[in-house]
Amino acid sequence: MDGSVKEQRKHQQKHSGPKAERKKLKKQGNSTEKDERKRNPKAFGVQSAVRMAKTFHRAQDIKTKKHHIPLVDRTPLEPPPVVIVVVGPPKVGKSTLIRCLIKNFTRQKLGDICGPVTIVSGKKRRLTFMECNNDINTMIDLAKVADLVLMLIDASFGFEMETFEFLNICQVHGFPRIMGVLTHLDSFKNNKTLRKTKKTLKHRFWTEVYQGAKLFYLSGMVYGEYQTQEVKNLGRFISVMKFRPLVWQTSHPYLLVDRMEDLTDPEKIRTDLKCDRRVSLYGYLRGTYLKNKSQIHIPGVGDFQVAEVNFLPDPCPLPGAQKKRALNEKERLLYAPMAGVGGVVYDKDAVYIDLPACHAQQVQEEIRPSTELVQSLIDTHATLDAKMAASKVTLFSGSATLDSADVNVQSSENEGHMEERIWDPISHRERRKVIFTEEADDDKGDASDSSENEDSDIEESDAEEQEDTNENGAGGMRETSDHGGPTVKKRKLEEEKDVTGAVAELPVFADSEDDLEMSEEEGDAGRAADSGHCSEEDEDEEESADEEMDDDDDDDDDDLSKEEEEGTAQTAVKKTASESEEEVQEELGALRWKDRLQQKASEAFLRQQEAMPNLRKLVYGSADSKEEEDGEDVDEELGGLFRVNRPQKSRRFQANALDCSHFNPDSSHNWDLEEMLDSIKDCFVTGKWEEDQDAATLLKEHDEMYGDFEDLETGEVHKGAIEAQDQSQNNESDEDGDAEEAPTTADDDDVQKNKRLDKKRRLKERFDAEYDDGDATYFDDLKEEMQKQAELNRAEFEDLDDETRVQYEGFRPGMYVRLEIPSLPCEFVANFDPRYPIIIGGLGSNEGSAGYLQMRLKKHRWYNRILKTRDPLILSLGWRRFQTIPLYHIEDHNGRHRLLKYTPQHMHCGASIWGPITPQGTGFLALQTVAGINANFRIAATGVVLDLDKSVTVVKKLKLIGYPYKIFKNTCFIKGMFNTVLEVAKFEGAAVRTVSGVRGQIKKALSTPPGSYRATFEDKLLMSDIVFLRSWCTVSVPQLYNPVTSLLLPVGQKDSWSGMRTLGQLKHDLGIRNKPNPDSLYKPVVRTEAHFNPLHIPKELQKSLPYKSKPKQQQRKGKRPRDMQRPSVIREPHERKVAALLQALSTVHNYNTKKAHAVQHAKHKEFLRQKEKDEEAKLKRQKEARKNLYRIMGQKDQKKQKSSLKGTPKD
Amino acid sequence: MASHGLDYDGCNFFRQRLVLSTLSGKRVKIRNIRSKDDNPGLRDFEASFIRLLDKVTNGSRIEINQTGAVLFYQPGLLYGGSIEHDCNLQRSIGYYLEALLMLAPFMKNPLKATLRGITNDPTDPTVDRLKSTVLPLMKKFGIEGEGFDLKVMKRGMAPGGGGEVVFTCPVRKTIRPVQLTDSGKIKRIRGVAYSVRVSPQMGNRIVESARGVLNQFIPDIYIHTDHMKGANSGKSPGFGLTLVAETLEGCFLSAEMSSTPQGQGDPVLPEDLGRNCAKLLLEEVYRGGCVDSSNQSLALLLMTLGQQDVSKLLLGPLSPYTIEFLRHIRDFFQIMFKIEVRKPLEDERKGGDKVLMTCVGVGYSNLNKSLK
């Protein structure tokens, strides 16, 4: 085409003339011409309002189409590693690619790739690689958790079914980013075929993913690896890729498990090999917040409840903030415990150092019970003291068991430690003091030690923290030994206090072993009640001792003397263990009551400051409710023999009290007093306003906006901005001046600077608001709102430590967590295969139960058969894979769900199943079998959940047939439709119909034969008619929910799960042939020849018929006799010639006549047209004339009328 | 499926438990219901409440043992639709309505509930109070639109009842997070002084005395006198007052007082009632917060059921009912609130301590609403 284009003339630039001058002017920049729009307004004017409206409309439509519903950005600050799933048919180079990528990022070679491999790829990004084998179960599971899919395609072969299956799975479960990678490109010898193949593959890939999807080419292999440069490029693409948030993933927490430990008691396994296992699973939390004790689903295993969640230090952390561009060698971390890499592995309470060699084998060995003793020694996951703690002793049969919690609540090292960490909201510094007190205990109140501690604040806290995280076992043990004695005493002491009732209103943080605190608390009690927060709730008596220990360090500002006293108090308690504690209490109280009033006052102030933990503990208690109950039991037991039956009181509300939301405090304020009235004065608009909302301030601000100005008339200079501020500042300081001296100049500067900055910010905000308001749309507002919410979400819990934060938010995505699941089936551990992904999917609050689901379903167009109602189907829905029995139905016009026997060929239909409650709008896919490799496309259908309910109404048509046995005029007796009178009674008044369309109604049952009834019809029936009653009967959905437990199958057979068989399979397997109803079979049509008898008319009738209708007595014509036949004429040659000539002449004549006739006809036509024309002209003329005439007549009439009108007034 | 349940003791906070169980889908078992009582087991009003719950749900399983001391409840899905319920006369409609308000936005079909019984009594929040405080509160969470209404058709006082209330509520898929940290200043006080089967003058007497107390703070007070007659006046005589203080930020604080039911305790003078009720309102104002004390639990529930965003709410001191509610929320939804106390400043005269409640919602979505 290029060749055919004529060469165009070159543009001639004008060098003179008005155009050139204008251009010159323009170039100089001082164009004298006005703006185009102004110079030639007509050209830019509105030509057509409609068109303009249309254009505007269209522009607006396009603009709006670009908008997505804004969502709150909930991505965590430190995101979890990106899950990259490498998919492809076998022998396409998946493992090689992962190995190359890992080598590219970490410079490490990984031999065998089992399970997920996490690496640090950059300063801000970590990657988790996971290989997906060709088991459809794995493909489904991994598609649900993938962020990025590397789809390997063997270019020498082309696309394989696996690729398309995986793409379809992705489409159903949310489409992650997909990048195609073409391999085996070196097998092409011809460059042209290579190019062509690339192109066709690319375009097919684009239609599947999206136009312009990235397709990567890996050309050849070098020493069994892909070319370094190509891998590097691929790595770059991966590390800059952005991901889309998928609805399911962002609304559910999930883990791709990268480590699994069996925590079951070896003894239990020895006694019962098939016992349920206690397993801890590790992985990065993704998606959204995970709550402790929440419901989870492990695809391939089942539903479980998490017993415990902890977060662990990140095994593969991102490098800290630094400015350099690349990562150094140390920061290129690799973590793959299932592949035996990772080196040091941290657990909640232990550190595992992985020796190279064979990690996987070790795992296998653990299960073997052969070397029981050694194994148990190696593998005890709980330390001895933990076991001790867990063991229980029964002193007397029938009495409750005594466990070590009885002796010391803190001793159960796992739980106790966690409890402490979880339930203690105070900061590190305060926590440090817990141990300090213990140490003080140890040292019998060594004052100097404590003072040292006080000084070396920060170092201590750090050290303690490390201790906490790393040496929990040891720490717990030490604590145990430390606390054994005192705790019991403390509790007893506390009990007694409670009995006396003097300290009923103690705030929780009260230092209960310190009597001084006690007395002070008494004084405080009134105040506490006043505040209303703890008016009703008395201090919990079963508040366990460790809380007390925690609590006393809330008063972190305790000075030295206090510490000393504490120490002495404790020693005193210890010494006087045999004496009665009351005495001690009284003594100490009496001794120190007066001399620390000031300190007490300051403490009271601090307590006010720290009311938060107080109220928090008041509401949520300090430990698990279970723990509390245990404590209660212990408390109420005296020597294991007698139980103290105390009346329910104090914090625990009356269990059977009145259920009422009214809040009527017993100590209501006296609202007759002036000061009480005064105390709420500012709550009303009539009261004093805040500084920044006060009308005066607002006015002032308004002034500031416009700055100084001078009133020219009066000559008065108005000051604005800073001066005014200054003045107000001065005024304020003056006012306050009496109470406090004028602040130092430095302070003043600071204050002023802040004020100035503040004002600047306010002004900017106002400007922004005004500026943006011009074209602020609803969408912008919404986006801004979301933005604000996102900021708030980030900021709200930022300054809390993780332990506390986890309680409020749950475990946030990005954390490395450890989940403990108490009862996993033993096959999970025994048949563990790291090549199969273990996914932990969190479930929403209602998603744990089962119900009926109504879905929209469409058979996949590549699946080569339709699906039958009640044939079991394997669905992948939400996290789950399960077998269920669907009923297909279609919605009629009146909203009725009519059962279908089969799915329509190319249409959506409804499907109802019994299954797990899953949110509406969730996509699902259906398979008929997951076992083995099938040559055909395996995905049978796809669809979406529409509705959830606990009941379902699918109906099918039921026709009841009956036969008339007695027919009157319009009434019939009908039998055979029902069996009893009762059945008929139920259908009285129902409409019935015959096959021929005669409608009727059931009237009343007849006594005999049973089940017969009287019915009336619109016409008389025949005995041969069949009467039917059309009705709908509900069909029940079978309640089958059979999770696909593919992960529990033995290694190597995990892809062979088979559930319930379909009807077809069953028949095939059992060799059952369907016996059709012989009536329904097609037979060859046999038609007998119709034979009609001659029409016989009786003679009588013949006589009376008119002649016309009489049968004619005609004889058949006989043969004509020879003599009657005429002979044929044979012409002479001359005669023949004459005849031929005549024939020719007549033909010519005929032709001529015909022609003449045509001419004549045309002429006549012309004539007619002319005539018509004339006629028309005549008519027109006449009309004109008539019109004239009428006009004149009208005028005359008018004149006449006018004159008559004129005439009347004259008259 | 491994759905697990929760166990509780005693009949206190009965509604909370069943409502939260319904919303969370967790089954609940309540033991020892008045087991030590002379008359053990569930009371009629509780049974009536269970019946109401059964009416709005589909597929719930409720088992009560022979003595009525043990209740097992496995929740179904909330169905909604048009229901009618005759509330037991031991408690007022407010008792039932409080629970219904919590459930109504999460139904399959918009709810239209006609409740009959006692509209006003001293123990439970009256329908007038709920109408004037709860509806604006729920609007803040995005539950609004046409058909969100609470109408008092007939008024019935304790003990006879005979009142009728129609409550309609649209359904929502998600709840909006809120940031209510500033209650604003009170700009006006409104109220209803109602009287049935007594002299219409009662209303005026109540208004007079209530105004006397409140006028020293704000002039914008209007108390409507509502005297119902004939068929609309229920079966028992009585009167009462509901006061609502509206702030600039659209928060509502309310107080109310009803006359003692006929034949139960000493009769009260309307003047006393008005004055005491006004004082109760002042008490409520003293406590402050963005939500008044009886609606705290509803507000906290809606915060919990919000999307996974931070919600903040300033409250007055937590009522015992609310505290237990918070514990229940933790049991059912594993949500803990961050509780911060806001002390009033030295020279500030805005009543007592406030509590700032902060939480991250569970990301609850209405599973009952069908997708069409």
Side-chain angles (χ1 to χ4, degrees), chain A residues 83-315:
Chain A
V83 179
I84 300 175
V85 175
V86 183
V87 200
K91 292 281 170 205
V92 81
K94 295 181 299 260
S95 317
T96 320
L97 182 70
I98 295 181
R99 221 171 284 137
C100 288
L101 280 169
I102 289 171
K103 197 185 156 198
N104 172 47
F105 281 122
T106 63
R107 313 268 185 275
Q108 282 188 56
K109 262 193 168 178
L110 213 59
D112 187 27
I113 295 167
C114 293
V117 181
T118 305
I119 58 170
V120 178
S121 74
K123 283 196 294 181
K124 293 250 172 75
R125 181 159 288 186
R126 292 172 290 181
L127 310 174
T128 297
F129 288 101
M130 184 74 203
E131 188 183 325
C132 177
N133 58 21
N134 283 294
D135 184 356
I136 197 145
N137 291 315
T138 319
M139 279 155 66
I140 288 171
D141 289 350
L142 282 176
K144 290 173 190 172
V145 296
D147 294 314
L148 168 67
V149 173
L150 291 183
M151 185 156 271
L152 265 66
I153 299 154
D154 184 349
S156 63
F157 184 85
F159 286 107
E160 285 168 65
M161 261 322 175
E162 282 87 356
T163 312
F164 285 112
E165 279 168 354
F166 191 82
L167 280 168
N168 261 298
I169 294 167
C170 285
Q171 275 168 357
V172 168
H173 292 300
F175 217 84
R177 284 303 285 254
I178 292 184
M179 202 150 92
V181 179
L182 290 186
T183 58
H184 295 268
L185 285 173
D186 49 347
S187 59
F188 287 95
K189 297 286 176 275
N190 188 347
N191 210 16
K192 198 175 176 189
T193 45
L194 172 67
R195 239 188 308 127
K196 263 191 171 170
T197 322
K198 271 185 182 174
K199 199 177 167 192
T200 47
L201 289 178
K202 186 170 75 181
H203 279 99
R204 191 69 190 82
F205 186 68
W206 283 5
T207 51
E208 281 303 322
V209 184
Y210 62 90
Q211 287 298 309
K214 187 70 197 159
L215 194 61
F216 229 88
Y217 309 108
L218 294 179
S219 47
M221 300 263 261
V222 179
Y223 300 120
E225 284 183 353
Y226 294 112
Q227 287 176 11
T228 330
Q229 194 53 44
E230 285 176 346
V231 172
K232 200 176 253 176
N233 284 343
L234 180 60
R236 278 190 194 131
F237 261 97
I238 290 170
S239 47
V240 297
M241 188 159 274
K242 287 202 176 80
F243 304 101
R244 55 181 92 187
L246 305 178
V247 176
W248 182 263
Q249 288 185 4
T250 49
S251 60
H252 292 82
Y254 62 97
L255 259 77
L256 179 58
V257 172
D258 57 12
R259 196 174 141 213
M260 193 272 287
E261 304 286 346
D262 185 9
L263 303 181
T264 325
D265 185 11
E267 181 64 16
K268 212 172 146 196
I269 297 176
R270 194 186 63 80
T271 49
D272 181 12
L273 198 60
K274 298 249 184 258
C275 67
D276 275 359
R277 305 298 166 91
R278 188 178 187 86
V279 168
S280 68
L281 300 166
Y282 304 77
Y284 284 98
L285 185 64
R286 298 162 213 270
T288 175
Y289 300 112
L290 174 74
K291 299 277 185 315
N292 204 351
K293 303 221 179 351
S294 57
Q295 285 243 75
I296 53 145
H297 179 81
I298 304 177
V301 186
D303 275 22
F304 301 97
Q305 196 181 0
V306 178
E308 203 185 344
V309 188
N310 316 105
F311 62 89
L312 301 179
D314 203 327

Side-chain angles (χ1 to χ4, degrees), chain B residues 117 119 151-156 162-165 228 231-234:
Chain B
T119 54
K151 264 188 223 144
V152 183
M153 312 300 272
K154 296 174 189 168
R155 207 178 277 284
E164 186 178 311
V165 171
M228 281 195 168
N232 293 339
S233 64

Side-chain angles (χ1 to χ4, degrees), chain A residues 7-24:
Chain A
E7 190 151 313
Q8 279 171 342
R9 235 176 96 219
K10 240 188 165 181
H11 175 62
Q12 296 272 323
Q13 206 127 39
K14 285 266 192 298
H15 294 292
S16 60
K19 236 182 186 177
E21 266 167 30
R22 219 183 297 149
K23 206 160 206 182
K24 225 182 269 170

Side-chain angles (χ1 to χ4, degrees), chain A residues 449-509:
Chain A
D449 195 350
S450 61
S451 68
E452 253 177 45
N453 264 322
E454 197 69 6
D455 293 339
S456 55
D457 226 342
I458 302 139
E459 297 101 309
E460 272 290 326
S461 69
D462 286 351
E464 288 305 336
E465 212 175 58
Q466 279 182 354
E467 205 172 30
D468 272 353
T469 48
N470 295 344
E471 308 176 2
N472 283 323
M477 201 157 151
R478 199 195 59 210
E479 279 164 22
T480 317
S481 60
D482 287 353
H483 284 263
T487 3
V488 179
K489 283 173 210 153
K490 275 174 220 154
R491 189 181 291 117
K492 275 186 187 165
L493 187 74
E494 204 187 328
E495 262 175 51
E496 275 151 9
K497 281 174 204 162
D498 270 333
V499 172
T500 54
V503 259
E505 305 246 337
L506 249 190
V508 190
F509 51 74

Side-chain angles (χ1 to χ4, degrees), chain B residues 81 85 112 126 128 175 261 279 283 313 315-316 336-337 343 363:
Chain B
H85 187 68
K112 179 175 184 283
T126 63
D128 302 275
I175 298 290
K279 283 177 185 169
E283 176 76 33
L313 178 65
L315 294 178
M336 266 178 78
F337 280 73
K343 295 273 171 194

